[in-house]
Amino acid sequence: MRHDSAVTTGARNEAVQGEELIRALHDQHAAALLTFVMRLVGGDLHRAEDVVQETLVRAWRNIHRLEPAAASLRPWLVTVARRIVIDGHRSRRSRPPEVGDAMLEVMPAEDELEKALRLMTISDALDALTEPHRQVIVETYLKGRTVNEAAAVLGVPAGTVRSRVFYALRSLKIALEERGVTS
């Protein structure tokens, strides 16, 4: 039983020594490290602080490899910090920057996909009409001709064009409703 308590006490002593070493590293090197990293990250204080913190965390994780008796651990810390900055730079270059939804609100162009779907649905509904009904819709609505002009092009009386337009619009409305388009 003594053996277990000796191991526990030894581990606790190592943890305390590790904490003391990290505190000492922070007190001795954090300011200089922050100044060094600020130059690497272009003056971004928040990024520099994050890099210094990550550097000290890595020092804590590798405490068993560090020699507190060494003249200075600063070269090791500087190298680790420099590698963290380089890794961060590479990861930002490897994927596109994220953009918030604010940019979508100011975009003037309407959604092309929605427009394409709407045109496909209308085209499909027009195909469901009989040929005479489709012809009068194309001549009057899509080509913008008057009833008399459409009658001359189609070779039918103006009254027939009016009647076909009325029934074609009714059939088109039903065809669109069948495809889920309302109002």
Side-chain angles (χ1 to χ4, degrees):
M1 219 164 192
R2 261 193 208 170
H3 179 65
D4 289 340
S5 77
V7 170
T8 306
T9 304
R12 200 171 322 154
N13 286 339
E14 282 182 30
V16 169
Q17 288 174 349
E19 283 182 32
E20 289 173 3
L21 178 61
I22 293 301
R23 277 198 189 101
L25 284 176
H26 181 271
D27 294 343
Q28 292 172 9
H29 304 289
L33 202 54
L34 183 64
T35 303
F36 172 74
V37 173
M38 284 285 285
R39 282 185 271 138
L40 294 178
V41 297
D44 185 347
L45 178 63
H46 296 293
R47 263 184 65 206
E49 288 173 342
D50 288 346
V51 169
V52 169
Q53 181 179 2
E54 179 62 25
T55 302
L56 292 173
V57 167
R58 289 187 186 183
W60 178 70
R61 287 183 186 153
N62 293 294
I63 200 110
H64 59 281
R65 293 176 33 198
L66 300 177
E67 292 183 33
S72 178
L73 293 174
R74 190 171 291 176
W76 186 86
L77 294 170
V78 167
T79 301
V80 170
R82 192 172 132 282
R83 288 179 181 165
I84 292 170
V85 171
I86 291 169
D87 290 347
H89 178 71
R90 286 179 181 160
S91 70
R92 277 189 300 285
R93 280 184 32 212
S94 69
R95 66 175 196 236
E98 295 180 12
V99 179
D101 292 342
M103 292 301 293
L104 296 176
E105 294 174 6
V106 296
M107 291 181 65
E110 75 177 61
D111 188 6
E112 292 298 318
L113 179 61
E114 191 67 35
K115 183 179 179 181
L117 289 173
R118 188 172 42 247
L119 289 174
M120 287 172 51
T121 303
I122 291 170
S123 177
D124 188 42
L126 279 171
D127 287 343
L129 299 178
T130 64
E131 186 62 27
H133 286 160
R134 186 174 33 261
Q135 286 176 341
V136 295
I137 294 292
V138 167
E139 293 299 324
T140 57
Y141 281 91
L142 300 180
K143 293 185 178 177
R145 294 193 168 121
T146 64
V147 171
N148 291 335
E149 291 169 341
V153 169
L154 296 173
V156 295
T160 303
V161 171
R162 280 189 212 96
S163 174
R164 286 183 183 170
V165 166
F166 174 80
Y167 289 109
L169 288 175
R170 210 165 80 179
S171 296
L172 187 59
K173 180 182 177 193
I174 292 169
L176 287 170
E177 286 173 349
E178 288 173 352
R179 287 158 181 77
V181 178
T182 56
S183 59

